[in-house]
Amino acid sequence: MEAAKKEKISVDDEAVDKNIFKDCSNIAFYRRQKKQLSKKSTCRAVLDSFTTGKDSTSFQIINEATKIPLLAEVYGLEGNIFRLKINEESPLKPRYEVRDVLTSKLSTVRLISCSGAKGSLVLADGKGDLKFHVTADPFKVDLVSEEDIVMSVNSLGQLYFEHLQISPKQRATKENEDDASVDTSQENQNDMGLWEEKFGKFVDIKANGPASIGLDFSLHGFEHLYGIPQHAESHQLKNTGDGDAYRLYNLDVYGYKIHDKMGIYGSVPYLLAHKLGRTLGIFWLNASETLVEVNTEPTVEYTLTQMGSVAAKQKVRSRADVHWMSESGIIDVFLLMGPTPSDVFRQYSHLTGTQAMPPLFSLGYHQCRWNYEDEQDVKAVDAGFDEHDIPYDVMWLDIEHTEGKRYFTWDKKRFPNPKRMQELLRSKKRKLVVISDPHVKVDPDYSVYAKAKEQGFFVRNREGGDLEGVCWPGLCSYLDFTNPKVREWYSGLFAFPVYQGSTDILFIWNDMNEPSVFRGPELTMQKNAIHHGNWEHRELHNIYGFYQQMATAEGLIRRSKGKERPFVLTRSFFAGSQKYGAVWTGDNRSDWSYLKISIPMLLTLSVTGISFCGADVGGFIGNPEAELLVRWYQAGAYQPFFRGHATMKTKRREPWLFGEEHTQLIRDAIRERYALLPYWYSLFYRAHKTAEPIMRPLWVEFPNELETFGIEDEYMLGSALLVHPVTEPKAAVVDVFLPGSDEVWYDSKTFAHWEGACTVKIPVALDTIPVFQRGGSVVAVKTTVGKSTGWMTESPYGLRVALSSQGSAVSELYLDDGHSFQYCHQNQFLNRKFLFCSGVLINSCADERGRYPSKCVVEQILVLGLRKQPSSVTTHSSGEESSHSYLIICSCKHRHISREEMISPKADAMCLPQAQLTRAFWWSQAY
């Protein structure tokens, strides 16, 4: 058992061994496609026999080399989405199609066949704004918007489809052996990996032979592409050369290399393109190993000369080409036509779902370590937060809390009374998260293993027995989460009578679910392992972890009889994982470069639907210096998932262990996170309802400003706050770009203001977190911070009103009970709108459906950007008046006020101890 851990740790201490992991030259289907496509064979569409059904239009595609027909199906979907499916017309056996990712039966829009030129087919939606223009020979698709071609499919002729075949050993005739589609000579098989593929000591025997697919997309006028996580790379996708594709293949890469296109823990095969005036999306629904090549050609202006004199100028329009290649499955691609960023986010959410509404506690700070040693250690760390006046919400336990890495158990010596430990946390209104990995220790006396084996719930090897591999417990079998019966059974393991020692404050962390197999090829599962339905692992590798998180979330909901929201963090993920919880960036290092790269990594996750994301504060591997740790806490406080974590071989790094000066700085960062919880919670509600990302690259909020398209060291938190974390050591000044020529920006600490569309130099001491509030916004805060979110339920609100250049501001505040589903089942919520205009601040109802009895009051209002000092403040509501203690602070443009003046106002700051308040500002009754 321990040998497995020591084996892994001995590797972990070193840099990533790239010999363990493949690059493109080691991937057979990549080599095959590149070789075949170099021959320039073409495909043609057979359009004279296209058929139109209730939901789709179908036609054949013939490859001129193989003459084997493919079936293409075109769907129009509500909300400006086209779907293109290409499969074999008559496959030898069914090919794998991804299930359970799409939200439900999609609402189709009937496409109308329009007259087109000979050899073409034009399909239009009912409005006629979008057209799907098919050219027969060679096969090509142009997507046309208002007579402008915005996207082309197969314009480079890279459609590739390997047909399923009988293996060479089974072929009965020489005719079949000479099939033109595949060269079966031994030399070619060894080189091209048709039926066997070798990597190191591993041999992948392919029962179905070669089955890869590929297709290209050209995006006209685009230079800026984003998406396809997860890579430790820049937010904007880079051009790829030969052998340098972005790889989507979920792998356990401890201490992954940064600025590298290798696949790490999760995969979302979804890419966005943005230019002035239009945003597009391409969602490639395939769960097998996938490679993506990118080539962008910027706009170039050529000067043509004749006999030494200038004759003419020619402007060549920019274009981005994207080439997708997958090892198996079918081509099933969704083309999201925008045209705005918010339209594309909404379109993608219609396909895969929105971010789950999290319980409020999960937006607080999480304290984790591999491993807190025992109950006394947990008690001491918990007390340390109280002693040092640092709020936190969740204590985490890694694998050592179990009995010999047997999940759903407790180490009887270290954690003899887990319920008592949880009751201690409950008394502080805090929670516990424990780990549950997908591997199960091979032990007939371990009930989870015995029951799963008895029911045939493990992934099988190619010989038909249970697949066994090595992970933390030693020899393990792996639950087959692709099987609905396994997921249902696994969900039942979280029931309180089954999971002894668990309570309703215990939540779950799914780790190692790529899946990680220490002695497997690339430290993962063999591709020829067999899953439910006799599908090979190669078909669905990237969706394995998705299914575990799905089952875990369902288990937590079931244990509460459907009443309580779950919290589940997963390391491995796929498109749609946002429906089930949170994601983090995995095993990062305590280095400034990893702090810096975490920002573009999180931005990429955010624009691809996964808003609840974060990076381990301080770096999982290594020992951060005090300055780095402070800067990481300051960054993490303004990122959606906020957790400190460290591996077992690091020094302890609780926030109070780096001296009082640094403790105070970390305390301030965490407390600012808690003060902003009303704003955070409202952002999550918007993400849940409308698919708006929480952490937004500047181009999302300012889509018509070219300067924002490549920025990745700062970002918007919602629409109101701009955050520029300090990611360099000993920094004294940072350059902050403030976008928007019509915008006004206010420093959230000094209240200084700047006009937009400029770069400003901001001095940064170690206590500085460069955060700016956008003029025209109202940010709701809590005026007092408690030990955890649970202590702040009835804490008063404050409003930070930042006026635009027109003197107005607007925002919404959402609140509910923070833990149940009553907000959607019984409309038990409040959604309030704050509007400041013409010198009046109005609090009104933003959603009449909501009803929730809140005791919270608005205690303080800060107004930034008033042109002159107000002479009086009056409150009104239906002619009623009542006297309450109240504070209003106003900052004029000619003078800035300090934070201290918010507590003890002076000069032009206005204190009204007996302001007349009514329902416009008072929260003592439901609305």
Side-chain angles (χ1 to χ4, degrees):
M1 177 178 66
E2 294 301 319
K5 180 184 289 188
K6 291 176 182 176
E7 173 188 354
K8 183 71 164 25
I9 291 173
S10 66
V11 174
D12 291 344
D13 290 337
E14 306 299 327
V16 175
D17 184 355
K18 294 295 288 285
N19 293 321
I20 294 175
F21 304 102
K22 293 182 180 181
D23 58 26
C24 289
S25 65
N26 305 124
I27 299 171
F29 76 85
Y30 176 83
R31 298 198 306 271
R32 291 198 304 273
Q33 293 206 27
K34 298 298 280 188
K35 181 178 180 180
Q36 183 66 32
L37 292 171
S38 67
K39 299 178 182 179
K40 299 295 182 183
S41 61
T42 59
C43 296
R44 61 181 173 86
V46 182
L47 299 180
D48 54 2
S49 60
F50 80 88
T51 60
T52 300
K54 178 183 178 183
D55 296 324
S56 66
T57 298
S58 305
F59 54 87
Q60 280 188 340
I61 300 174
I62 305 293
N63 184 295
E64 296 294 4
T66 66
K67 305 299 182 184
I68 300 175
L70 299 172
L71 178 66
E73 298 173 276
V74 182
Y75 300 78
L77 303 178
E78 284 188 357
N80 290 357
I81 304 171
F82 288 110
R83 182 183 193 181
L84 173 63
K85 295 180 73 174
I86 302 177
N87 197 353
E88 296 185 58
E89 188 170 58
S90 302
L92 188 65
K93 61 177 73 172
R95 297 178 69 114
Y96 185 77
E97 299 187 36
V98 175
R99 300 169 178 81
D100 303 310
V101 168
L102 300 178
T103 52
S104 61
K105 181 174 172 56
L106 303 175
S107 299
T108 57
V109 175
R110 188 174 181 85
L111 297 177
I112 301 169
S113 175
C114 305
S115 60
K118 185 177 180 180
S120 68
L121 170 66
V122 180
L123 302 172
D125 62 8
K127 297 178 292 184
D129 298 336
L130 296 173
K131 295 178 181 178
F132 192 94
H133 188 151
V134 183
T135 301
D137 193 8
F139 167 64
K140 184 181 77 163
V141 174
D142 289 321
L143 278 77
V144 180
S145 174
E146 297 178 349
E147 307 309 317
D148 184 28
I149 299 175
V150 295
M151 183 191 305
S152 298
V153 181
N154 201 46
S155 62
L156 302 180
Q158 293 177 328
L159 171 59
Y160 187 91
F161 212 105
E162 293 179 326
H163 303 271
L164 298 182
Q165 304 166 64
I166 300 171
S167 69
K169 295 180 181 179
Q170 295 175 314
R171 294 180 182 179
T173 66
K174 178 65 174 170
E175 180 181 353
N176 282 340
E177 291 175 0
D178 293 337
D179 190 322
S181 63
V182 176
D183 180 353
T184 60
S185 68
Q186 186 63 45
E187 180 180 356
N188 189 68
Q189 288 188 58
N190 290 341
D191 180 52
M192 293 289 101
L194 300 174
W195 298 89
E196 287 186 3
E197 185 172 353
K198 296 181 180 180
F199 178 65
K201 65 181 180 180
F202 301 100
V203 179
D204 176 17
I205 299 174
K206 305 177 181 181
N208 296 318
S212 75
I213 58 173
L215 191 59
D216 65 88
F217 302 82
S218 295
L219 306 167
H220 302 287
F222 291 86
E223 298 179 37
H224 298 86
L225 307 181
Y226 313 94
I228 57 172
Q230 189 181 34
H231 305 94
E233 257 292 9
S234 59
H235 176 54
Q236 182 180 338
L237 299 180
K238 298 175 179 177
N239 282 358
T240 58
D242 287 340
D244 187 37
Y246 284 91
R247 190 182 186 200
L248 295 175
Y249 192 62
N250 296 354
L251 292 170
D252 177 2
V253 187
Y254 185 97
Y256 46 83
K257 184 180 178 181
I258 64 173
H259 301 298
D260 196 292
K261 299 179 182 67
M262 72 180 297
I264 49 177
Y265 308 100
S267 298
V268 181
Y270 169 43
L271 177 146
L272 299 93
H274 180 68
K275 66 177 181 178
L276 295 175
R278 167 126 1 218
T279 311
L280 299 175
I282 301 174
F283 176 34
W284 179 268
L285 184 54
N286 190 295
S288 69
E289 180 179 2
T290 296
L291 301 170
V292 185
E293 293 182 317
V294 173
N295 182 51
T296 57
E297 298 178 357
T299 300
V300 179
E301 189 172 275
Y302 293 97
T303 301
L304 306 179
T305 61
Q306 185 177 13
M307 299 297 291
S309 61
V310 176
K313 288 188 176 182
Q314 181 180 0
K315 193 171 186 179
V316 179
R317 190 183 184 196
S318 59
R319 190 182 76 190
D321 296 322
V322 183
H323 182 200
W324 298 78
M325 295 167 277
S326 292
E327 184 177 11
S328 58
I330 69 167
I331 293 173
D332 189 1
V333 60
F334 296 82
L335 309 174
L336 286 56
M337 301 303 293
T340 68
S342 59
D343 289 330
V344 171
F345 298 142
R346 184 171 57 252
Q347 289 157 2
Y348 181 68
S349 73
H350 287 167
L351 301 175
T352 66
T354 61
Q355 178 66 56
M357 187 65 189
L360 178 60
F361 79 80
S362 65
L363 306 189
Y365 174 64
H366 301 246
Q367 183 66 31
C368 187
R369 179 176 179 81
W370 180 23
N371 202 91
Y372 285 117
E373 296 296 327
D374 51 31
E375 290 179 11
Q376 288 304 311
D377 197 7
V378 169
K379 184 177 181 180
V381 172
D382 175 76
F385 278 90
D386 293 338
E387 179 183 344
H388 295 89
D389 193 26
I390 300 174
Y392 94 105
D393 264 78
V394 192
M395 177 66 67
W396 290 55
L397 295 178
D398 211 314
I399 54 178
E400 310 301 332
H401 84 278
T402 63
E403 183 182 356
K405 321 308 184 290
R406 297 168 179 86
Y407 306 107
F408 301 97
T409 69
W410 303 86
D411 185 302
K412 293 181 176 60
K413 292 183 179 179
R414 295 180 174 189
F415 299 91
N417 198 333
K419 284 191 174 181
R420 180 180 60 192
M421 177 181 65
Q422 289 168 76
E423 290 309 313
L424 170 67
L425 294 174
R426 186 195 303 276
S427 70
K428 308 284 190 70
K429 299 185 180 180
R430 292 170 177 150
K431 316 295 181 186
L432 179 70
V433 167
V434 299
I435 199 166
S436 182
D437 294 348
H439 52 260
V440 178
K441 181 176 176 61
V442 174
D443 176 3
D445 295 327
Y446 174 30
S447 63
V448 174
Y449 173 80
K451 292 176 181 177
K453 184 173 182 62
E454 178 185 1
Q455 297 178 78
F457 283 170
F458 291 123
V459 178
R460 291 171 287 139
N461 57 39
R462 60 187 298 268
E463 289 80 24
D466 290 343
L467 182 141
E468 294 183 346
V470 174
C471 207
W472 297 127
L475 194 63
C476 300
S477 290
Y478 289 76
L479 290 169
D480 184 5
F481 289 104
T482 69
N483 185 341
K485 291 184 178 179
V486 174
R487 296 198 298 272
E488 182 180 8
W489 171 80
Y490 184 78
S491 294
L493 297 179
F494 295 98
F496 300 125
V498 179
Y499 189 176
Q500 295 291 312
S502 69
T503 73
D504 61 357
I505 70 158
L506 181 146
F507 297 86
I508 300 297
W509 166 22
N510 293 149
D511 197 8
M512 312 297 285
N513 53 346
E514 293 74 29
S516 180
V517 183
F518 290 167
R519 296 175 187 172
E522 299 192 89
L523 303 181
T524 192
M525 189 174 287
Q526 299 94 314
K527 287 184 174 180
N528 56 17
I530 305 300
H531 289 266
H532 174 67
N534 289 321
W535 295 109
E536 284 190 308
H537 184 71
R538 81 181 72 252
E539 307 279 0
L540 49 84
H541 172 85
N542 286 343
I543 205 171
Y544 180 85
F546 166 96
Y547 276 125
Q548 188 193 14
Q549 189 187 25
M550 174 197 287
T552 304
E554 179 59 29
L556 296 184
I557 294 171
R558 281 175 53 186
R559 77 174 187 184
S560 71
K561 297 180 172 52
K563 296 179 181 179
E564 301 294 317
R565 299 176 220 165
F567 171 75
V568 184
L569 178 73
T570 183
R571 189 169 75 176
S572 183
F573 55 88
F574 190 69
S577 288
Q578 66 269 11
K579 296 190 292 287
Y580 305 112
V583 161
W584 92 107
T585 61
D587 298 341
N588 57 0
R589 293 183 177 274
S590 297
D591 187 89
W592 287 93
S593 61
Y594 282 80
L595 167 59
K596 191 170 187 176
I597 202 69
S598 69
I599 299 170
M601 290 179 74
L602 297 178
L603 290 175
T604 298
L605 286 168
S606 296
V607 299
T608 52
I610 301 176
S611 277
F612 202 177
C613 56
D616 284 341
V617 170
F620 179 63
I621 305 162
N623 297 300
E625 60 195 80
E627 182 191 7
L628 173 58
L629 188 64
V630 168
R631 290 303 191 195
W632 216 318
Y633 269 100
Q634 292 172 344
Y638 288 90
Q639 293 165 357
F641 177 59
F642 187 23
R643 180 182 76 158
H645 189 28
T647 188
M648 67 189 318
K649 300 185 77 175
T650 61
K651 298 176 183 177
R652 296 292 286 257
R653 62 166 91 141
E654 285 71 42
W656 52 87
L657 296 179
F658 292 79
E660 178 51 39
E661 176 189 358
H662 298 107
T663 298
Q664 180 62 47
L665 295 172
I666 294 172
R667 178 189 297 117
D668 290 345
I670 296 176
R671 289 176 66 84
E672 183 61 23
R673 166 63 166 234
Y674 277 76
L676 279 170
L677 280 172
Y679 182 65
W680 278 105
Y681 200 59
S682 298
L683 290 180
F684 268 92
Y685 180 70
R686 295 290 296 175
H688 176 58
K689 299 300 288 186
T690 67
E692 296 176 7
I694 292 170
M695 190 174 170
R696 305 173 188 174
L698 296 191
W699 65 264
V700 168
E701 202 63 30
F702 300 91
N704 295 316
E705 296 191 24
L706 190 61
E707 299 88 344
T708 68
F709 292 6
I711 292 177
E712 61 177 30
D713 57 353
E714 63 186 53
Y715 55 90
M716 295 295 297
L717 195 59
S719 62
L721 298 179
L722 186 150
V723 184
H724 187 115
V726 179
T727 59
E728 299 290 344
K730 298 179 173 56
V733 175
V734 295
D735 292 333
V736 178
F737 178 70
L738 299 174
S741 58
D742 297 327
E743 301 287 348
V744 180
W745 297 91
Y746 301 87
D747 187 303
S748 66
K749 183 176 183 179
T750 67
F751 308 123
H753 68 275
W754 295 267
E755 303 297 325
C758 67
T759 298
V760 296
K761 291 188 177 297
I762 302 297
V764 286
L766 193 53
D767 67 345
T768 306
I769 312 174
V771 178
F772 304 84
Q773 186 170 345
R774 185 180 186 179
S777 67
V778 181
V779 172
V781 299
K782 288 285 189 173
T783 58
T784 59
V785 171
K787 296 179 179 180
S788 68
T789 56
W791 292 101
M792 297 169 60
T793 304
E794 298 180 6
S795 297
Y797 285 96
L799 299 178
R800 299 176 183 174
V801 182
L803 301 185
S804 68
S805 56
Q806 291 77 37
S808 63
V810 66
S811 75
E812 293 183 8
L813 170 66
Y814 174 85
L815 69 155
D816 59 25
D817 65 19
H819 62 87
S820 78
F821 287 104
Q822 293 303 307
Y823 73 95
C824 58
H825 295 162
Q826 302 293 331
N827 289 330
Q828 291 190 11
F829 66 87
L830 284 180
N831 196 11
R832 307 298 299 174
K833 180 180 179 179
F834 295 101
L835 173 64
F836 189 100
C837 187
S838 302
V840 178
L841 177 62
I842 301 171
N843 172 7
S844 61
C845 182
D847 190 335
E848 295 288 350
R849 299 172 304 158
R851 293 290 184 273
Y852 181 68
S854 171
K855 296 181 180 179
C856 292
V857 299
V858 174
E859 178 181 75
Q860 182 187 91
I861 299 174
L862 168 67
V863 183
L864 300 174
L866 289 174
R867 296 184 181 277
K868 62 180 181 178
Q869 174 65 39
S871 58
S872 65
V873 176
T874 309
T875 64
H876 303 274
S877 179
S878 303
E880 300 174 3
E881 294 186 356
S882 59
S883 236
H884 299 286
S885 179
Y886 197 70
L887 176 66
I888 298 180
I889 303 174
C890 305
S891 173
C892 300
K893 284 203 169 185
H894 67 274
R895 180 181 174 278
H896 308 304
I897 59 175
S898 67
R899 288 261 174 136
E900 289 72 23
E901 287 181 283
M902 290 179 64
I903 307 303
S904 302
K906 306 172 187 175
D908 60 6
M910 180 178 297
C911 180
L912 303 180
Q914 292 295 320
Q916 297 297 309
L917 299 181
T918 56
R919 290 177 59 188
F921 300 114
W922 198 248
W923 289 65
S924 59
Q925 65 256 31
Y927 294 92

